[in-house]
Amino acid sequence: MAGHAAGERFLLIEEERLAEPFAGQGSGEIGGGLRLAAIGIGDAEPVEAMLTVSGEAVTPAAPVHVRAVSDGIGGWNLSWTRRSRNGWRWISGADVPLGEESERYELRVLSGESLLRRVETTSPAWAYDAAATAEDGGGMVTVEIRQIGSFALGRPGRIDLAL
């Protein structure tokens, strides 16, 4: 309160009146429109507003520090560092809390806009072996890595590889 002046306008939000906006939807989808209505003590009619909710708060952050190391026989060993939407501090050198029901990733190997391969893994590493790289035809590819969240698929971490 010290940073506010006497008589300055404010909005009081009562915690017991807050609700998860999609709890009643039952569709399992995140995002959409929400109509809000608020009424104050001196108001005769509620003030209404439409809000677009994107679901960004429940979307996992993109993996970082994506690395690819040649296995020496035509394949690649990929690794990355996950991030969490539930904790950003490095507590005693331990990993940040997962923030999802399980640790899972979706990897997509793309040649331009064409999807060559899609795999899932449960650890922050994947072996793109020589047989798979040969099957994918050589040339430049982009590998996108997304964490599979409890509510949404995360933003991608990317790395380009020359097969």
Side-chain angles (χ1 to χ4, degrees):
M1 295 297 294
H4 297 280
E8 184 178 354
R9 295 179 67 136
F10 69 95
L11 172 65
L12 174 65
I13 299 175
E14 298 170 330
E15 185 175 353
E16 64 274 3
R17 296 190 181 265
L18 294 176
E20 200 284 310
F22 299 106
Q25 268 188 321
S27 68
E29 290 185 22
I30 300 296
L34 188 65
R35 184 179 69 81
L36 300 174
I39 191 164
I41 294 173
D43 296 333
E45 296 290 324
V47 175
E48 295 186 5
M50 285 298 293
L51 175 67
T52 301
V53 179
S54 67
E56 191 68 29
V58 296
T59 301
V64 294
H65 308 299
V66 179
R67 293 188 53 201
V69 177
S70 172
D71 66 5
I73 55 172
W76 295 91
N77 292 314
L78 279 73
S79 63
W80 56 89
T81 301
R82 70 166 169 81
R83 294 191 296 164
S84 173
R85 61 186 173 85
N86 282 355
W88 293 89
R89 290 196 175 161
W90 193 31
I91 305 167
S92 302
D95 284 341
V96 294
L98 180 59
E100 308 301 334
E101 292 172 0
S102 63
E103 186 169 8
R104 295 176 33 226
Y105 303 92
E106 177 186 273
L107 288 87
R108 295 179 185 177
V109 179
L110 304 162
S111 177
E113 297 293 318
S114 299
L115 178 65
L116 301 176
R117 178 175 306 275
R118 182 189 166 281
V119 296
E120 283 190 22
T121 182
T122 57
S123 65
W126 177 58
Y128 189 17
D129 63 35
T133 60
E135 186 179 308
D136 290 346
M140 290 296 295
V141 297
T142 299
V143 180
E144 289 187 346
I145 303 151
R146 297 174 187 257
Q147 187 171 357
I148 300 171
S150 301
F151 302 101
L153 192 60
R155 295 181 181 276
R158 293 183 179 91
I159 192 165
D160 294 325
L161 301 175
L163 301 185

